[in-house]
Amino acid sequence: MQVQRLGGGIWNENDCVDQELVSRKMETRYYEGCGREGRIRCIFLGEFHPVAGPKISCQFPEDYISKEVFDSISAYIIPKPQIQKCTMTINSLGHKIVGYPIRIENPRYERNAYLFNLCFVCDSWSKTVQYEPVVKKLGEHLTIMEEETRFVSSGSTKLPTLLAHLLHDLNTHRKATLVEGDTVMHLKVLEIRKDPAPVHDYDVPVLLASVGLPRPGRPRRTAPPEGAEVQRQEHLDVEDEEPFEVDMDADWDLTTRQLLPYINGYNYVSKIAADTNVEKTLVKSCIQNLVYYGVVTLIPVLKFSNMYRATPNLSRLFSDQELQKSCLAFITKGSDSKKPTLSDVLEILCALQQGTTLRAICERFANTSGSTFDIRRLVVFAQLHELVRGLKRYPVYVRNPTRPNGFSTRTDPVLGIRRLFTGKHCTDEICCLARVDLPTLEQIIEDDPNIVTIWR
């Protein structure tokens, strides 16, 4: 069959076949468990008919799930009563289907019960965990509408339009609003992130909004090349396109509201707990929650005895104008001070190297351009954007720690600290675990010839 195109030329039905083959060929590189998120291909409503049994009463696009495919998996779409109202995922016959089966018992139905399931269909390799809360909320919402007006079982003519609206909005905007009479329901596909790493006593939280970093899962903002068209990214919310700010007056919980003023990029977890008089375990839990939601990130403790060195990412500072603006704005001391230049920043960052402490860098640039901005804030900014990397000290005791020079653990309190000198604990961690300050720890390392230090 051939049809005239709108813009000229002949459209052939083989064109669709070719495009479908190309699409399938491109997706063969994906596999179940690859972690990639795919689009919703179809939404259908399955129900148990009192005469015909399980069937698809409505789907969009039409005939996407064939009768043969549905009959093969209908026992899972309309399951036994024991697993009703449970989120379920079926991966079979090239489709991954997410559903939430509902059973409504009422004498007004022919078999005293009505069973239905609104399902999302995705590619077999696609990650679908982010759709489970949406499917569950839809199922609960349709249950209320069915109990009030028999909206589902009566075969409402609004169902096809509702499914088409859902498919378009969830794929395009990752959110949708359903209005039926006086009932309004808002849906949003949330990003499911991995659990953050445990928070340690020596970690330093930094607000992401203060350094121009994107929230987790969002790409870095870079200036497009001249003459290039700005393309809107798929699955990007309108609210995510705006700059992310942390509102200190928002409705935070009491612990978060108490901790936020102390998160300045220098205070570590133990110090924040002591300054706020909040239990340390509660502080760790709160900061870990802020890390999960992309409000803060963690960096090592900044000390003048630390050493840093530049990474290959430092070249981004030459070409990325947004990064340059964020850096200069973050490190400027005040509105009345002299504005630093990019050459001042690069001169200091390039001077950071192994064997040179941060104290030496500050003394070297104390009377030059470095006085126009805070070098500590520059180091914090550079670490967060992976422009520089901090080198940590790992002390190692090279002799048997159980009997060093004939001392025992009861008579030599320093021996308890030496047990941590295994090369697995950095000096920051040892200070927190042994509850000693850094000068005391450095003196212990310097006085004992059996201790060597590894920088990495």
Side-chain angles (χ1 to χ4, degrees):
M1 182 180 66
Q2 294 181 346
V3 179
Q4 185 72 25
R5 294 180 186 268
L6 292 177
I10 302 297
W11 176 85
N12 194 304
E13 63 180 358
N14 293 329
D15 294 344
C16 277
V17 177
D18 294 339
Q19 293 177 3
E20 181 69 19
L21 290 175
V22 171
S23 176
R24 291 182 180 274
K25 185 176 181 181
M26 291 177 61
E27 293 176 355
T28 54
R29 63 182 183 272
Y30 303 142
Y31 55 91
E32 168 66 14
C34 65
R36 294 186 62 89
E37 178 181 335
R39 297 169 63 86
I40 303 174
R41 300 299 182 182
C42 172
I43 302 179
F44 72 86
L45 177 67
E47 66 176 0
F48 186 86
H49 192 271
V51 178
K55 70 170 188 176
I56 296 180
S57 60
C58 181
Q59 68 172 311
F60 185 87
E62 296 183 1
D63 300 327
Y64 187 87
I65 299 296
S66 63
K67 185 178 185 303
E68 293 76 12
V69 172
F70 180 78
D71 291 341
S72 301
I73 59 176
S74 60
Y76 305 100
I77 302 299
I78 308 296
K80 299 295 182 181
Q82 290 80 2
I83 55 176
Q84 298 291 336
K85 288 194 173 184
C86 294
T87 306
M88 51 183 294
T89 302
I90 309 162
N91 197 345
S92 178
L93 303 176
H95 304 290
K96 183 178 281 190
I97 302 173
V98 183
Y100 186 74
I102 299 293
R103 177 187 177 93
I104 302 176
E105 297 184 358
N106 196 304
R108 67 184 179 183
Y109 300 111
E110 292 189 27
R111 296 197 177 189
N112 297 324
Y114 176 64
L115 291 82
F116 70 93
N117 193 353
L118 185 72
C119 300
F120 288 3
V121 183
C122 302
D123 296 305
S124 60
W125 48 264
S126 174
K127 183 179 73 172
T128 56
V129 64
Q130 70 278 2
Y131 296 127
E132 292 179 1
V134 179
V135 172
K136 180 179 179 180
K137 188 174 182 179
L138 275 170
E140 299 288 356
H141 181 69
L142 290 178
T143 300
I144 297 175
M145 297 177 65
E146 171 65 22
E147 292 175 344
E148 292 179 352
T149 63
R150 301 192 65 175
F151 179 80
V152 184
S153 60
S154 62
S156 174
T157 56
K158 297 180 180 180
L159 272 174
T161 304
L162 182 144
L163 298 187
H165 172 68
L166 275 176
L167 184 68
H168 175 269
D169 286 2
L170 292 179
N171 278 336
T172 306
H173 309 294
R174 296 180 67 83
K175 56 186 176 182
T177 302
L178 301 181
V179 180
E180 177 61 30
D182 297 333
T183 305
V184 179
M185 181 176 61
H186 301 282
L187 300 170
K188 185 172 183 178
V189 180
L190 299 177
E191 181 183 356
I192 306 298
R193 308 187 185 102
K194 295 181 180 180
D195 292 338
V199 178
H200 302 96
D201 295 350
Y202 51 88
D203 287 331
V204 178
V206 184
L207 293 172
L208 287 177
S210 63
V211 292
L213 277 173
R215 302 186 71 174
R218 304 300 178 192
R220 297 179 185 272
R221 298 178 183 271
T222 57
E226 295 184 2
E229 295 183 0
V230 179
Q231 297 181 352
R232 178 184 176 88
Q233 295 183 359
E234 185 181 6
H235 293 344
L236 192 63
D237 295 339
V238 175
E239 63 187 17
D240 290 330
E241 295 177 346
E242 300 175 356
F244 174 55
E245 298 289 344
V246 177
D247 185 7
M248 297 294 184
D249 298 327
D251 295 331
W252 300 100
D253 59 88
L254 295 178
T255 304
T256 303
R257 186 186 294 271
Q258 193 170 355
L259 299 183
L260 280 176
Y262 293 86
I263 299 178
N264 57 7
Y266 306 122
N267 294 334
Y268 50 93
V269 171
S270 293
K271 188 175 189 306
I272 293 175
D275 292 345
T276 57
N277 197 23
V278 178
E279 187 180 354
K280 191 183 300 183
T281 55
L282 190 58
V283 173
K284 290 182 180 180
S285 178
C286 179
I287 292 178
Q288 189 176 28
N289 188 58
L290 294 176
V291 172
Y292 177 83
Y293 286 105
V295 179
V296 305
T297 188
L298 302 176
I299 62 172
V301 180
L302 188 144
K303 299 187 294 292
F304 286 103
S305 59
N306 288 355
M307 289 192 294
Y308 303 88
R309 68 178 182 182
T311 68
N313 289 331
L314 184 59
S315 59
R316 291 182 50 233
L317 201 57
F318 290 89
S319 57
D320 193 336
Q321 296 182 359
E322 292 295 328
L323 183 62
Q324 296 172 8
K325 293 179 181 178
S326 299
C327 179
L328 297 178
F330 183 76
I331 65 178
T332 302
K333 288 183 175 179
S335 58
D336 298 333
S337 62
K338 177 184 176 182
K339 298 296 182 181
T341 62
L342 182 62
S343 60
D344 297 334
V345 171
L346 291 173
E347 185 179 9
I348 293 178
L349 292 180
C350 292
L352 296 173
Q353 56 186 339
Q354 187 170 349
T356 305
T357 64
L358 181 60
R359 180 182 292 107
I361 296 295
C362 293
E363 292 174 353
R364 184 190 308 177
F365 293 93
N367 298 322
T368 58
S369 58
S371 60
T372 63
F373 59 89
D374 192 340
I375 296 181
R376 295 185 308 162
R377 291 177 67 85
L378 174 60
V379 174
V380 170
F381 183 91
Q383 283 189 96
L384 291 171
H385 287 268
E386 300 177 354
L387 307 179
V388 300
R389 185 175 68 88
L391 300 175
K392 295 183 179 180
R393 288 177 291 176
Y394 293 83
V396 181
Y397 197 82
V398 295
R399 296 184 59 182
N400 186 1
T402 57
R403 298 182 62 187
N405 301 326
F407 291 103
S408 64
T409 56
R410 296 181 180 178
T411 59
D412 186 9
V414 179
L415 181 58
I417 300 179
R418 288 200 186 102
R419 291 183 180 275
L420 299 174
F421 298 164
T422 61
K424 298 180 180 180
H425 307 284
C426 64
T427 53
D428 296 336
E429 183 177 0
I430 293 174
C431 287
C432 292
L433 293 176
R435 297 184 178 180
V436 297
D437 55 7
L438 185 60
T440 302
L441 179 60
E442 290 177 342
Q443 190 64 40
I444 294 174
I445 296 174
E446 185 178 354
D447 293 342
D448 195 333
N450 297 318
I451 301 175
V452 297
T453 301
I454 299 174
W455 290 84
R456 67 171 186 263

Short mmCIF file of all heavy atoms in Angstrom, two decimals, residues 318-366:
data_model
loop_
_atom_site.label_atom_id
_atom_site.label_comp_id
_atom_site.label_asym_id
_atom_site.label_seq_id
_atom_site.Cartn_x
_atom_site.Cartn_y
_atom_site.Cartn_z
N PHE A 318 38.68 26.01 31.86
CA PHE A 318 39.09 26.89 30.77
C PHE A 318 37.94 27.18 29.80
O PHE A 318 37.87 28.27 29.23
CB PHE A 318 40.27 26.27 30.00
CG PHE A 318 41.55 26.24 30.76
CD1 PHE A 318 41.87 25.17 31.57
CD2 PHE A 318 42.46 27.28 30.68
CE1 PHE A 318 43.06 25.12 32.28
CE2 PHE A 318 43.65 27.25 31.39
CZ PHE A 318 43.94 26.17 32.19
N SER A 319 37.06 26.19 29.61
CA SER A 319 36.05 26.29 28.55
C SER A 319 34.63 26.47 29.06
O SER A 319 33.78 27.01 28.34
CB SER A 319 36.11 25.05 27.66
OG SER A 319 35.94 23.87 28.43
N ASP A 320 34.35 26.03 30.27
CA ASP A 320 32.98 26.06 30.79
C ASP A 320 32.73 27.41 31.47
O ASP A 320 33.19 27.67 32.58
CB ASP A 320 32.78 24.92 31.79
CG ASP A 320 31.31 24.70 32.12
OD1 ASP A 320 30.52 25.66 31.98
OD2 ASP A 320 30.96 23.59 32.54
N GLN A 321 31.99 28.28 30.80
CA GLN A 321 31.74 29.61 31.34
C GLN A 321 30.84 29.58 32.57
O GLN A 321 31.02 30.38 33.50
CB GLN A 321 31.13 30.50 30.26
CG GLN A 321 32.04 30.75 29.08
CD GLN A 321 31.42 31.68 28.06
OE1 GLN A 321 30.28 32.12 28.21
NE2 GLN A 321 32.16 31.97 26.99
N GLU A 322 29.86 28.67 32.59
CA GLU A 322 28.99 28.56 33.75
C GLU A 322 29.80 28.13 34.98
O GLU A 322 29.57 28.62 36.09
CB GLU A 322 27.87 27.55 33.47
CG GLU A 322 26.87 28.00 32.43
CD GLU A 322 26.09 29.22 32.89
OE1 GLU A 322 25.87 29.35 34.11
OE2 GLU A 322 25.71 30.04 32.04
N LEU A 323 30.74 27.23 34.79
CA LEU A 323 31.59 26.79 35.89
C LEU A 323 32.47 27.94 36.38
O LEU A 323 32.69 28.09 37.59
CB LEU A 323 32.45 25.60 35.44
CG LEU A 323 33.35 24.97 36.51
CD1 LEU A 323 32.51 24.39 37.65
CD2 LEU A 323 34.22 23.88 35.90
N GLN A 324 32.97 28.75 35.47
CA GLN A 324 33.79 29.90 35.86
C GLN A 324 32.99 30.88 36.70
O GLN A 324 33.46 31.37 37.74
CB GLN A 324 34.33 30.58 34.60
CG GLN A 324 35.28 29.73 33.78
CD GLN A 324 35.63 30.38 32.45
OE1 GLN A 324 35.29 31.54 32.20
NE2 GLN A 324 36.32 29.63 31.60
N LYS A 325 31.76 31.18 36.28
CA LYS A 325 30.92 32.12 37.02
C LYS A 325 30.60 31.59 38.41
O LYS A 325 30.65 32.32 39.40
CB LYS A 325 29.64 32.41 36.24
CG LYS A 325 29.84 33.16 34.94
CD LYS A 325 28.51 33.37 34.22
CE LYS A 325 28.70 34.10 32.89
NZ LYS A 325 27.41 34.25 32.17
N SER A 326 30.26 30.30 38.49
CA SER A 326 29.94 29.71 39.78
C SER A 326 31.14 29.74 40.71
O SER A 326 31.02 30.02 41.91
CB SER A 326 29.46 28.26 39.60
OG SER A 326 28.30 28.21 38.81
N CYS A 327 32.32 29.46 40.16
CA CYS A 327 33.54 29.45 40.97
C CYS A 327 33.85 30.84 41.52
O CYS A 327 34.10 31.00 42.72
CB CYS A 327 34.70 28.92 40.14
SG CYS A 327 36.28 28.89 41.01
N LEU A 328 33.85 31.84 40.67
CA LEU A 328 34.20 33.20 41.10
C LEU A 328 33.19 33.74 42.10
O LEU A 328 33.54 34.46 43.03
CB LEU A 328 34.31 34.12 39.88
CG LEU A 328 35.41 33.75 38.87
CD1 LEU A 328 35.39 34.73 37.69
CD2 LEU A 328 36.78 33.76 39.54
N ALA A 329 31.91 33.39 41.91
CA ALA A 329 30.88 33.86 42.84
C ALA A 329 31.02 33.17 44.20
O ALA A 329 30.77 33.78 45.24
CB ALA A 329 29.49 33.60 42.27
N PHE A 330 31.44 31.91 44.21
CA PHE A 330 31.53 31.15 45.45
C PHE A 330 32.72 31.57 46.30
O PHE A 330 32.65 31.58 47.53
CB PHE A 330 31.62 29.65 45.13
CG PHE A 330 31.64 28.76 46.34
CD1 PHE A 330 30.48 28.51 47.06
CD2 PHE A 330 32.82 28.17 46.77
CE1 PHE A 330 30.49 27.69 48.17
CE2 PHE A 330 32.85 27.35 47.89
CZ PHE A 330 31.68 27.11 48.59
N ILE A 331 33.82 31.95 45.67
CA ILE A 331 35.05 32.21 46.42
C ILE A 331 35.22 33.68 46.79
O ILE A 331 36.10 34.02 47.59
CB ILE A 331 36.29 31.76 45.62
CG1 ILE A 331 36.46 32.58 44.34
CG2 ILE A 331 36.19 30.28 45.30
CD1 ILE A 331 37.68 32.22 43.54
N THR A 332 34.42 34.58 46.22
CA THR A 332 34.56 36.00 46.53
C THR A 332 34.22 36.26 47.98
O THR A 332 33.19 35.79 48.49
CB THR A 332 33.65 36.84 45.61
OG1 THR A 332 34.00 36.58 44.25
CG2 THR A 332 33.83 38.32 45.89
N LYS A 333 35.04 37.02 48.67
CA LYS A 333 34.86 37.24 50.11
C LYS A 333 33.65 38.12 50.41
O LYS A 333 32.91 37.88 51.34
CB LYS A 333 36.12 37.89 50.69
CG LYS A 333 37.31 36.95 50.77
CD LYS A 333 38.50 37.63 51.43
CE LYS A 333 39.66 36.66 51.61
NZ LYS A 333 40.83 37.30 52.23
N GLY A 334 33.45 39.16 49.64
CA GLY A 334 32.34 40.08 49.90
C GLY A 334 32.08 40.95 48.70
O GLY A 334 32.86 41.00 47.74
N SER A 335 30.98 41.66 48.73
CA SER A 335 30.61 42.51 47.60
C SER A 335 31.56 43.69 47.43
O SER A 335 31.72 44.21 46.32
CB SER A 335 29.17 43.03 47.78
OG SER A 335 29.06 43.74 49.01
N ASP A 336 32.21 44.13 48.53
CA ASP A 336 33.11 45.28 48.45
C ASP A 336 34.54 44.91 48.09
O ASP A 336 35.36 45.78 47.82
CB ASP A 336 33.11 46.04 49.79
CG ASP A 336 31.73 46.57 50.15
OD1 ASP A 336 30.95 46.81 49.21
OD2 ASP A 336 31.45 46.71 51.36
N SER A 337 34.86 43.61 48.13
CA SER A 337 36.23 43.19 47.86
C SER A 337 36.50 43.16 46.36
O SER A 337 35.58 43.16 45.54
CB SER A 337 36.48 41.81 48.46
OG SER A 337 35.62 40.85 47.87
N LYS A 338 37.76 43.13 46.04
CA LYS A 338 38.18 43.07 44.65
C LYS A 338 37.79 41.73 44.05
O LYS A 338 38.01 40.68 44.64
CB LYS A 338 39.69 43.27 44.56
CG LYS A 338 40.25 43.16 43.16
CD LYS A 338 41.75 43.28 43.17
CE LYS A 338 42.32 43.08 41.78
NZ LYS A 338 43.80 43.15 41.77
N LYS A 339 37.22 41.78 42.85
CA LYS A 339 36.77 40.56 42.22
C LYS A 339 37.98 39.77 41.71
O LYS A 339 38.84 40.31 41.04
CB LYS A 339 35.84 40.88 41.03
CG LYS A 339 34.56 41.60 41.41
CD LYS A 339 33.68 40.76 42.31
CE LYS A 339 32.38 41.49 42.64
NZ LYS A 339 31.51 40.71 43.53
N PRO A 340 38.05 38.47 42.04
CA PRO A 340 39.16 37.67 41.53
C PRO A 340 39.00 37.39 40.04
O PRO A 340 37.89 37.46 39.50
CB PRO A 340 39.05 36.38 42.35
CG PRO A 340 37.61 36.29 42.71
CD PRO A 340 37.15 37.71 42.90
N THR A 341 40.09 37.07 39.41
CA THR A 341 40.08 36.74 37.98
C THR A 341 40.31 35.25 37.81
O THR A 341 40.77 34.56 38.73
CB THR A 341 41.15 37.53 37.23
OG1 THR A 341 42.44 37.15 37.74
CG2 THR A 341 40.95 39.03 37.41
N LEU A 342 40.01 34.76 36.61
CA LEU A 342 40.20 33.35 36.33
C LEU A 342 41.68 32.96 36.41
O LEU A 342 42.01 31.86 36.87
CB LEU A 342 39.63 33.01 34.96
CG LEU A 342 39.71 31.54 34.53
CD1 LEU A 342 38.91 30.66 35.49
CD2 LEU A 342 39.19 31.37 33.09
N SER A 343 42.56 33.86 36.01
CA SER A 343 43.99 33.56 36.07
C SER A 343 44.46 33.40 37.51
O SER A 343 45.33 32.56 37.81
CB SER A 343 44.79 34.66 35.38
OG SER A 343 44.57 35.92 36.01
N ASP A 344 43.89 34.18 38.46
CA ASP A 344 44.24 34.02 39.87
C ASP A 344 43.84 32.63 40.37
O ASP A 344 44.60 31.98 41.10
CB ASP A 344 43.53 35.09 40.72
CG ASP A 344 43.97 36.49 40.35
OD1 ASP A 344 45.10 36.64 39.85
OD2 ASP A 344 43.18 37.43 40.56
N VAL A 345 42.64 32.20 39.97
CA VAL A 345 42.16 30.89 40.41
C VAL A 345 43.03 29.77 39.84
O VAL A 345 43.43 28.85 40.56
CB VAL A 345 40.69 30.71 39.97
CG1 VAL A 345 40.22 29.29 40.23
CG2 VAL A 345 39.78 31.70 40.71
N LEU A 346 43.31 29.84 38.55
CA LEU A 346 44.09 28.78 37.92
C LEU A 346 45.51 28.72 38.47
O LEU A 346 46.11 27.64 38.59
CB LEU A 346 44.12 28.99 36.41
CG LEU A 346 42.77 28.78 35.69
CD1 LEU A 346 42.87 29.18 34.23
CD2 LEU A 346 42.33 27.33 35.81
N GLU A 347 46.07 29.88 38.83
CA GLU A 347 47.43 29.91 39.37
C GLU A 347 47.51 29.13 40.67
O GLU A 347 48.47 28.39 40.92
CB GLU A 347 47.88 31.35 39.58
CG GLU A 347 49.33 31.49 40.03
CD GLU A 347 49.74 32.93 40.20
OE1 GLU A 347 48.85 33.82 40.13
OE2 GLU A 347 50.94 33.18 40.42
N ILE A 348 46.48 29.28 41.52
CA ILE A 348 46.48 28.58 42.80
C ILE A 348 46.19 27.09 42.61
O ILE A 348 46.85 26.23 43.20
CB ILE A 348 45.47 29.23 43.74
CG1 ILE A 348 45.92 30.64 44.12
CG2 ILE A 348 45.27 28.39 45.00
CD1 ILE A 348 44.96 31.38 45.00
N LEU A 349 45.22 26.77 41.76
CA LEU A 349 44.88 25.37 41.56
C LEU A 349 46.04 24.58 40.94
O LEU A 349 46.27 23.43 41.28
CB LEU A 349 43.63 25.26 40.67
CG LEU A 349 42.32 25.75 41.29
CD1 LEU A 349 41.18 25.58 40.30
CD2 LEU A 349 42.01 25.02 42.59
N CYS A 350 46.76 25.22 40.04
CA CYS A 350 47.91 24.54 39.42
C CYS A 350 49.07 24.39 40.40
O CYS A 350 49.94 23.53 40.21
CB CYS A 350 48.37 25.30 38.18
SG CYS A 350 47.17 25.24 36.82
N ALA A 351 49.11 25.24 41.45
CA ALA A 351 50.18 25.13 42.44
C ALA A 351 49.94 24.01 43.43
O ALA A 351 50.86 23.59 44.14
CB ALA A 351 50.31 26.46 43.20
N LEU A 352 48.71 23.49 43.50
CA LEU A 352 48.41 22.37 44.39
C LEU A 352 49.04 21.11 43.83
O LEU A 352 48.73 20.68 42.72
CB LEU A 352 46.90 22.20 44.54
CG LEU A 352 46.13 23.35 45.20
CD1 LEU A 352 44.63 23.11 45.11
CD2 LEU A 352 46.56 23.52 46.65
N GLN A 353 49.90 20.49 44.58
CA GLN A 353 50.58 19.29 44.13
C GLN A 353 51.05 18.49 45.34
O GLN A 353 51.11 19.01 46.46
CB GLN A 353 51.77 19.63 43.24
CG GLN A 353 52.79 20.56 43.89
CD GLN A 353 53.88 20.99 42.93
OE1 GLN A 353 54.11 20.32 41.94
NE2 GLN A 353 54.54 22.08 43.23
N GLN A 354 51.40 17.25 45.11
CA GLN A 354 51.88 16.40 46.19
C GLN A 354 53.21 16.93 46.72
O GLN A 354 54.11 17.27 45.95
CB GLN A 354 52.05 14.97 45.69
CG GLN A 354 52.39 13.98 46.79
CD GLN A 354 52.31 12.55 46.31
OE1 GLN A 354 51.81 12.29 45.22
NE2 GLN A 354 52.78 11.62 47.13
N GLY A 355 53.31 17.01 48.04
CA GLY A 355 54.49 17.55 48.68
C GLY A 355 54.34 18.99 49.13
O GLY A 355 55.18 19.51 49.86
N THR A 356 53.25 19.65 48.70
CA THR A 356 52.99 21.04 49.08
C THR A 356 51.68 21.10 49.86
O THR A 356 50.64 20.73 49.33
CB THR A 356 52.90 21.95 47.85
OG1 THR A 356 54.09 21.83 47.08
CG2 THR A 356 52.71 23.40 48.26
N THR A 357 51.74 21.54 51.09
CA THR A 357 50.53 21.61 51.91
C THR A 357 49.72 22.85 51.56
O THR A 357 50.21 23.79 50.95
CB THR A 357 50.89 21.63 53.40
OG1 THR A 357 51.64 22.83 53.68
CG2 THR A 357 51.72 20.42 53.78
N LEU A 358 48.46 22.81 51.99
CA LEU A 358 47.59 23.96 51.77
C LEU A 358 48.10 25.18 52.54
O LEU A 358 47.94 26.31 52.09
CB LEU A 358 46.16 23.60 52.21
CG LEU A 358 45.10 24.69 52.02
CD1 LEU A 358 44.98 25.09 50.56
CD2 LEU A 358 43.75 24.21 52.55
N ARG A 359 48.71 24.95 53.70
CA ARG A 359 49.28 26.07 54.47
C ARG A 359 50.37 26.77 53.66
O ARG A 359 50.44 28.00 53.62
CB ARG A 359 49.84 25.55 55.78
CG ARG A 359 50.47 26.65 56.65
CD ARG A 359 51.05 26.12 57.93
NE ARG A 359 50.02 25.64 58.82
CZ ARG A 359 49.77 24.35 59.06
NH1 ARG A 359 50.51 23.41 58.45
NH2 ARG A 359 48.81 23.98 59.90
N ALA A 360 51.23 26.00 52.99
CA ALA A 360 52.29 26.60 52.18
C ALA A 360 51.72 27.41 51.02
O ALA A 360 52.24 28.48 50.68
CB ALA A 360 53.23 25.51 51.67
N ILE A 361 50.62 26.91 50.43
CA ILE A 361 49.99 27.64 49.32
C ILE A 361 49.41 28.96 49.83
O ILE A 361 49.56 30.01 49.19
CB ILE A 361 48.90 26.78 48.68
CG1 ILE A 361 49.51 25.53 48.04
CG2 ILE A 361 48.11 27.57 47.65
CD1 ILE A 361 50.42 25.81 46.88
N CYS A 362 48.75 28.92 50.99
CA CYS A 362 48.16 30.15 51.54
C CYS A 362 49.24 31.17 51.88
O CYS A 362 49.06 32.38 51.65
CB CYS A 362 47.33 29.81 52.77
SG CYS A 362 45.85 28.84 52.44
N GLU A 363 50.38 30.72 52.44
CA GLU A 363 51.47 31.65 52.76
C GLU A 363 52.10 32.22 51.49
O GLU A 363 52.49 33.38 51.46
CB GLU A 363 52.52 30.91 53.60
CG GLU A 363 52.02 30.54 54.99
CD GLU A 363 53.03 29.69 55.74
OE1 GLU A 363 54.05 29.29 55.12
OE2 GLU A 363 52.81 29.41 56.94
N ARG A 364 52.19 31.41 50.44
CA ARG A 364 52.81 31.88 49.21
C ARG A 364 51.98 32.97 48.55
O ARG A 364 52.51 33.94 48.01
CB ARG A 364 52.99 30.71 48.25
CG ARG A 364 53.72 31.07 46.97
CD ARG A 364 53.66 29.96 45.93
NE ARG A 364 54.10 28.68 46.50
CZ ARG A 364 54.07 27.55 45.81
NH1 ARG A 364 53.59 27.55 44.56
NH2 ARG A 364 54.49 26.43 46.37
N PHE A 365 50.64 32.82 48.59
CA PHE A 365 49.78 33.78 47.90
C PHE A 365 49.12 34.76 48.88
O PHE A 365 48.15 35.42 48.52
CB PHE A 365 48.69 33.04 47.12
CG PHE A 365 49.21 32.22 45.97
CD1 PHE A 365 49.52 30.88 46.14
CD2 PHE A 365 49.42 32.81 44.72
CE1 PHE A 365 50.00 30.12 45.09
CE2 PHE A 365 49.90 32.05 43.67
CZ PHE A 365 50.19 30.71 43.84
N ALA A 366 49.65 34.86 50.08
CA ALA A 366 49.03 35.73 51.08
C ALA A 366 49.08 37.20 50.67
O ALA A 366 48.12 37.96 50.88
CB ALA A 366 49.70 35.54 52.44
#
